């Protein structure tokens, strides 16, 4: 049925192409200006770090309804559901979870703390102007939490955005959303923008017939108002963002909180308010010099229940970063210095236990950059942070970029990262089961790692067409890590790492445009992630991290007709096998085989876009061949029994999905 619908949709679009050919010719004659468009997945050859820039064009290759769906065509980042009930998503980079990736919005720490549970779902894709994706540790100017990489999201600016932008989206699984953006320039200095988002999952889906909703129902509203004031000496940006979301999941017959003692249900209500200000003092006569202050606040409230288990979370945060930069003699020697401040106040409760803490983290840093133009760049950074609970933490980082030849670039990086664990918010998916939560030993909430990386970039011509090959290798070694141990079928154990824990990641990516307006990307990634787990007897048992595929292949094909009137995109992903933790009380394992490998699988996504003068229509499909995990919920028929577990997710939960939408712009 789905495949027939997909074929009919694509056939209709191809027929429409013939019908609108006359309109296309007329439109071609009206276009007089030149268009400069960045290549998708563009590698930044000038960046010191191994950086990929995901432009609007890249993001337009898929529905990209929110940040979690922005990485469908990216080889470095994997996105998956954290469990089969809540709908929360998590990313992985260099073989480790998104908790070790510093995610910023315009250089302001964003997805962290209590927001880490559903934060990837909260940022609408249409608000995003570009995404900078860096592997390894980043500059000390941006903080200490980048342990495997960093994602910085740039939003649309009020002085350059469209006067009005409308995006609508709907899919075959009952999801609908609408995004509106408006911008106004009062004069050459002052401008404002208003961004609104509303989305809803209304259909109760149970494609595998296990009695549970495949996707939670939700209503999400998100509003952002931002301002910008710019002169030749000052640049000031400020704004506020309000978010409200209501989620409901569990058994298909579950409708309200009052039923949760007889019918398994999940509910979550979130309200969040953020404010920010960015002030920069410019020096027109000294363009190499600058002074900037970044300030943000956040107030986050969440009330959830998992069957009869209640959770409440409150967080108040204040962040500030003061940065000054200048040169020593000439621009071959530049330096930055500054001070940062972070205050996080948490109040959480789960079942009958309450947890509260206040973290205060002032810090200072300095960074020196030595440049031999077109040859070599070396960046040495140091920062010291003073955590009121974890003590003084020192973070050294080194980055080297060597232009070996005009078409060969070598990048090296090494550095330390650390973070404070948020046990409940970061492991909410494990509350969707009936295992006991056990704390083992004296837990240390501090996590510390060292990351080392090398990246080789080869730019080349194949015939008369450009291509590039990027090969990188990264090693992450933990000296302190918080272990989440699911190797016991009756419990989830938390303890400080008793031994070694490491991640090795290798990736090769090839980009090529064999002919005009056709782009080809192919990538292979290998990951070896292992840790020493603590057995019940106290011995150490080294295992590969669960739910993590060792091998992954991605191929993306994109073609556009002249002036991008028609755009076609196809993405194929192959995910290798992965280890599943012990679950002998359930149906997934047998008592004689506690080591089980999930099978390899492939997914195919495709999209066709038709562009008109001021608007465009897009039609797409995800998971074309309808591959799903057969039993994402263990003991689904008896959710109040000990064997019930919805956190053993390794593959797609929902099958083929067809979507469509429009984008309308007034420049």
């Amino acid at each position: 049925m789905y495949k027939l619908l997909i074929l009919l949709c694509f056939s209709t679009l191809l027929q429409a192409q013939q019908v609108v050919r006359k309109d296309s010719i007329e439109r071609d004659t009206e276009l007089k200006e030149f268009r400069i468009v960045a290549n998708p997945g563009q590698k930044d050859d000038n960046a010191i770090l191994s950086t990929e820039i995901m432009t609007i064009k890249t993001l337009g290759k898929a529905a990209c309804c929110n940040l979690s769906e922005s990485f469908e065509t990216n080889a470095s980042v994997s996105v998956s559901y954290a469990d089969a009930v809540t709908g929360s998503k998590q990313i992985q980079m260099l073989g480790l979870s998104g908790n070790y990736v510093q995610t910023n919005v315009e250089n302001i720490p964003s997805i962290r703390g209590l927001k880490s549970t559903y934060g990837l779902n909260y940022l609408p894709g249409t608000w995003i102007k570009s995404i900078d994706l860096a592997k390894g540790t980043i500059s000390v100017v941006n903080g200490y939490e980048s342990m495997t990489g960093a994602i910085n999201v740039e939003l649309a600016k009020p002085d350059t955005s469209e006067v009005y932008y409308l995006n609508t989206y709907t899919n075959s699984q009952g999801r609908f959303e609408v995004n509106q953006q408006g911008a106004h320039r009062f004069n050459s200095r002052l401008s404002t923008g208003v961004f609104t988002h509303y989305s809803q999952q209304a259909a109760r889906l149970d494609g595998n017939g296990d009695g549970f909703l495949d996707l939670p129902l939700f209503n999400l509203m998100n509003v952002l108002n931002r301002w910008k004031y710019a002169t030749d000496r000052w640049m000031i940006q400020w704004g506020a963002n309000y978010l409200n979301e209501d989620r409901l999941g569990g058994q298909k017959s579950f409708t309200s909180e009052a039923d949760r003692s007889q019918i398994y249900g999940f509910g979550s209500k979130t309200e969040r308010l953020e404010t920010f200000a960015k002030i920069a003092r410019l020096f027109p006569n000294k363009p190499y010099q600058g002074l900037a202050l970044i300030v943000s606040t956040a107030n986050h409230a969440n009330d959830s229940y998992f069957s009869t288990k209640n959770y409440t979370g409150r967080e108040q945060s204040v962040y500030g970063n003061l940065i000054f930069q200048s040169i020593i003699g000439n621009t071959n020697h530049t330096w930055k210095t500054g001070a940062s401040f972070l205050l996080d106040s948490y109040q959480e409760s789960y079942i009958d236990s309450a947890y509260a803490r206040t973290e205060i983290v002032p810090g200072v840093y300095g960074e020196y950059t030595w440049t031999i133009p077109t040859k070599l760049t070396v960046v040495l950074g140091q920062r010291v942070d003073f955590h009121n609970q974890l003590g003084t933490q020192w973070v050294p980082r080194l980055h080297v970029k060597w232009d070996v030849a005009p078409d060969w670039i070598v990048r090296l990086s090494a550095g330390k990262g650390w973070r404070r664990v948020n046990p409940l918010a970061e492991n909410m998916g494990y509350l969707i089961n009936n295992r006991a939560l056990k704390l083992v030993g004296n837990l240390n909430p501090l996590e510390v790692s060292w990351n080392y990386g090398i990246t080789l970039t080869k730019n080349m011509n194949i015939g008369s067409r450009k291509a590039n090959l990027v090969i990188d290798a990264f090693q992450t070694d933990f000296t302190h890590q918080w272990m989440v141990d699911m190797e016991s079928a009756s419990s989830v154990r938390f303890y400080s790492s008793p031994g070694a824990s490491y991640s090795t990641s290798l990736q090769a990516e090839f980009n090529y445009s064999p002919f005009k307006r056709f782009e080809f990307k192919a990538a292979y990634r290998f990951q070896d992630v292992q840790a020493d787990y603590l057995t019940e007897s106290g011995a150490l048992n080294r295992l590969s991290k669960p739910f993590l595929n060792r091998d992954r292949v991605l191929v993306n094909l994109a073609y556009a007709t002249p002036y991008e009137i028609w755009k076609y995109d196809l993405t194929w992903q192959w995910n290798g096998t992965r280890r599943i933790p012990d679950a002998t009380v359930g149906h997934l394992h047998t008592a004689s085989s506690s080591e089980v490998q999930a099978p390899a699988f492939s997914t195919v996504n495709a999209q066709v876009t038709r562009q008109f003068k001021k608007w465009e229509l897009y039609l797409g499909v995800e998971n074309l061949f309808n591959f799903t995990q057969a039993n994402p919920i263990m003991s689904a028929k008896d959710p109040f029994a000990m064997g019930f577990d919805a956190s053993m997710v390794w593959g797609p939960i929902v099958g083929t999905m067809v979507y469509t939408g429009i984008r309308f712009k007034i420049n």
Side-chain angles (χ1 to χ4, degrees):
M1 182 66 181
Y2 276 125
K3 294 179 181 178
L4 179 60
L5 175 61
I6 294 161
L7 290 173
L8 287 173
C9 291
F10 276 84
S11 176
T12 301
L13 278 175
L14 292 174
Q15 292 176 23
Q17 184 177 12
Q18 302 299 321
V19 174
V20 301
R21 180 170 293 173
K22 181 179 179 181
D23 173 74
S24 300
I25 296 172
E26 293 174 353
R27 184 180 185 277
D28 290 349
T29 62
E30 296 173 0
L31 291 173
K32 302 298 183 183
E33 74 275 12
F34 291 100
R35 303 187 67 196
I36 301 175
V37 182
N39 291 328
Q42 179 180 349
K43 306 298 181 179
D44 188 349
D45 286 346
N46 296 319
I48 307 301
L49 284 68
S50 176
T51 304
E52 180 177 352
I53 302 174
M54 300 174 62
T55 63
I56 292 177
K57 182 178 179 180
T58 310
L59 300 175
K61 286 174 164 287
C64 191
C65 295
N66 55 53
L67 182 60
S68 72
E69 297 166 341
S70 301
F71 303 103
E72 295 289 344
T73 61
N74 186 271
S76 301
V77 177
S78 299
V79 183
S80 62
Y81 283 102
D83 59 83
V85 173
T86 68
S88 65
K89 291 185 177 181
Q90 59 185 3
I91 64 172
Q92 291 178 341
M93 185 189 294
L94 303 188
L96 295 167
S97 75
N99 298 326
Y100 304 106
V101 179
Q102 184 171 331
T103 304
N104 296 342
V105 175
E106 298 188 346
N107 293 314
I108 299 174
S110 177
I111 300 179
R112 57 183 308 278
L114 300 190
K115 191 180 180 182
S116 61
T117 306
Y118 306 109
L120 290 173
N121 303 70
Y122 287 160
L123 186 59
T126 58
W127 294 9
I128 300 173
K129 181 181 178 182
S130 65
I131 300 175
D132 296 341
L133 178 63
K135 292 184 178 181
T137 57
I138 62 172
S139 169
V140 294
V141 174
N142 297 107
Y144 50 81
E145 291 183 322
S146 67
M147 301 170 74
T148 60
I151 295 171
N152 184 58
V153 180
E154 289 292 327
L155 303 182
K157 306 298 188 290
D159 58 334
T160 57
S161 295
E162 296 84 0
V163 174
Y164 179 73
Y165 176 40
L166 170 70
N167 170 264
T168 64
Y169 168 92
T170 186
N171 68 30
S172 59
Q173 296 172 347
R175 177 174 166 183
F176 168 80
E177 77 171 51
V178 58
N179 301 278
Q180 296 187 83
Q181 297 169 212
H184 178 70
R185 297 190 67 176
F186 295 95
N187 50 50
S188 61
R189 296 184 176 185
L190 182 64
S191 57
T192 187
V194 177
F195 306 76
T196 65
H197 166 88
Y198 176 78
S199 58
Q200 180 186 60
Q201 173 66 40
R204 292 176 172 265
L205 301 177
D206 182 17
N208 56 18
D210 63 1
F212 274 75
L213 295 177
D214 296 335
L215 296 170
L217 309 180
F218 67 82
N219 286 279
L220 172 63
M221 179 184 69
N222 199 349
V223 180
L224 168 66
N225 177 218
R226 65 180 304 170
W227 294 75
K228 183 176 181 179
Y229 176 80
T231 69
D232 59 346
R233 294 183 179 274
W234 292 95
M235 173 112 33
I236 304 174
Q237 301 185 67
W238 71 97
N241 181 200
Y242 174 77
L243 177 145
N244 187 288
E245 186 195 48
D246 192 354
R247 289 179 175 237
L248 185 143
Q251 289 183 288
K252 191 175 181 180
S253 57
F254 180 77
T255 57
S256 69
E257 188 175 354
D259 303 329
R260 59 186 176 133
S261 60
Q262 291 82 33
I263 305 172
Y264 190 97
F266 155 76
S268 173
K269 293 184 178 180
T270 302
E271 190 172 26
R272 183 177 178 90
L273 176 65
E274 297 179 70
T275 64
F276 71 92
K278 301 167 70 177
I279 304 170
R281 174 67 167 91
L282 309 177
F283 301 88
N285 297 326
K286 299 178 179 180
Y288 50 81
Q289 188 168 294
L291 178 66
L293 175 64
I294 301 174
V295 179
S296 69
T297 68
N299 192 304
H300 187 103
N302 177 264
D303 295 292
S304 301
Y305 57 85
F306 309 86
S307 183
T308 58
K309 300 175 289 188
N310 294 322
Y311 168 83
T312 62
R314 302 289 184 268
E315 177 187 2
Q316 300 82 37
S317 294
V318 177
Y319 169 79
N321 193 9
L322 180 65
I323 311 164
F324 179 77
Q325 67 176 29
S326 189
I327 64 172
I328 303 174
N330 57 54
T331 54
N332 292 338
H333 304 273
T334 65
W335 58 277
K336 296 179 182 179
T337 188
S340 63
F341 177 81
L342 177 66
L343 184 148
D344 284 327
S345 177
Y346 298 96
Q347 307 87 42
E348 295 178 277
S349 66
Y350 177 62
I351 308 180
D352 56 356
S353 299
Y355 312 90
R357 73 177 191 274
T358 298
E359 298 180 48
I360 301 174
V361 195
V364 294
Y365 56 83
E367 185 176 81
Y368 167 72
T369 302
W370 173 46
T371 304
I372 301 176
T374 71
K375 292 294 183 182
L376 181 68
T377 303
V378 179
V379 180
L380 177 63
Q382 307 271 335
R383 69 174 293 136
V384 179
D385 295 277
F386 309 93
H387 196 288
N388 64 321
Q389 296 177 350
L390 303 178
T392 301
Q393 302 293 329
W394 169 59
V395 174
R397 290 176 182 172
L398 173 68
H399 300 95
V400 178
K401 175 177 177 282
W402 179 23
D403 292 85
V404 181
D407 54 357
W408 273 103
I409 302 173
V410 178
R411 290 181 174 88
L412 303 172
S413 66
K416 177 184 175 184
W418 66 277
R419 61 186 292 272
R420 209 277 189 194
V421 173
N422 290 286
L424 290 174
E426 295 168 7
N427 298 285
M428 201 71 77
Y430 297 123
L431 305 185
I432 309 292
N433 58 48
N434 291 333
R435 302 189 190 198
L437 302 183
K438 293 184 178 180
L439 305 179
V440 181
N442 296 320
L443 291 175
N444 184 356
L446 173 67
E447 292 193 308
V448 180
S449 70
W450 290 82
N451 181 277
Y452 315 92
I454 180 171
T455 302
L456 306 177
T457 301
K458 169 65 174 176
N459 296 313
M460 67 190 87
N461 287 327
I462 300 179
S464 61
R465 307 295 297 173
K466 290 185 177 181
N468 68 50
L469 174 66
V470 181
I471 301 174
D472 61 48
F474 286 87
Q475 176 76 22
T476 306
D477 294 317
F478 283 89
T479 59
H480 300 82
Q481 188 179 27
W482 178 281
M483 301 294 294
V484 180
D485 187 340
M486 297 186 67
E487 305 307 317
S488 169
S490 61
S491 66
V492 179
R493 298 189 302 157
F494 301 91
Y495 50 84
S496 297
S497 177
S501 180
Y502 67 87
S503 168
T504 303
S505 176
L506 308 174
Q507 180 173 306
E509 179 177 325
F510 177 69
N511 294 278
Y512 179 45
S513 177
F515 53 88
K516 208 171 189 179
R517 298 182 302 278
F518 180 80
E519 294 163 348
F520 170 79
K521 175 196 286 187
Y524 169 74
R525 188 183 67 197
F526 168 84
Q527 298 175 144
D528 178 24
V529 186
Q530 300 190 35
D532 290 332
Y533 288 82
L534 195 64
T535 66
E536 296 288 349
S537 64
L540 298 183
N541 184 22
R542 181 162 297 184
L543 298 170
S544 60
K545 285 291 183 74
F547 307 117
L548 184 71
N549 55 318
R550 190 180 182 95
D551 306 278
R552 180 178 183 235
V553 177
L554 180 143
V555 175
N556 175 254
L557 307 175
Y559 176 72
T561 61
Y563 303 105
E564 297 190 348
I565 294 173
W566 286 89
K567 291 182 286 188
Y568 306 90
D569 294 284
L570 179 72
T571 302
W572 171 69
Q573 292 187 43
W574 178 82
N575 295 276
T577 60
R578 65 197 76 194
R579 188 179 72 85
I580 305 300
D582 177 31
T584 53
V585 300
H587 61 270
L588 183 61
H589 293 230
T590 64
S592 61
S593 177
S594 61
E595 188 80 6
V596 171
Q597 297 288 324
F601 65 90
S602 294
T603 58
V604 174
N605 300 338
Q607 180 176 281
V608 176
T609 303
R610 169 64 168 102
Q611 181 172 289
F612 299 90
K613 283 185 180 180
K614 294 184 179 180
W615 64 284
E616 59 185 35
L617 169 70
Y618 59 93
L619 172 69
V621 59
E622 294 183 358
N623 198 358
L624 176 62
F625 297 108
N626 200 36
F627 177 83
T628 58
Q629 182 177 340
N631 299 296
I633 300 178
M634 299 173 59
S635 300
K637 301 301 181 184
D638 191 5
F640 296 97
M642 178 59 69
F644 173 77
D645 193 340
S647 61
M648 306 288 280
V649 176
W650 51 263
I653 300 173
V654 295
T656 302
M657 182 267 285
V658 180
Y659 64 87
T660 186
I662 63 170
R663 303 181 182 105
F664 174 73
K665 299 178 182 180
I666 299 177
N667 293 317

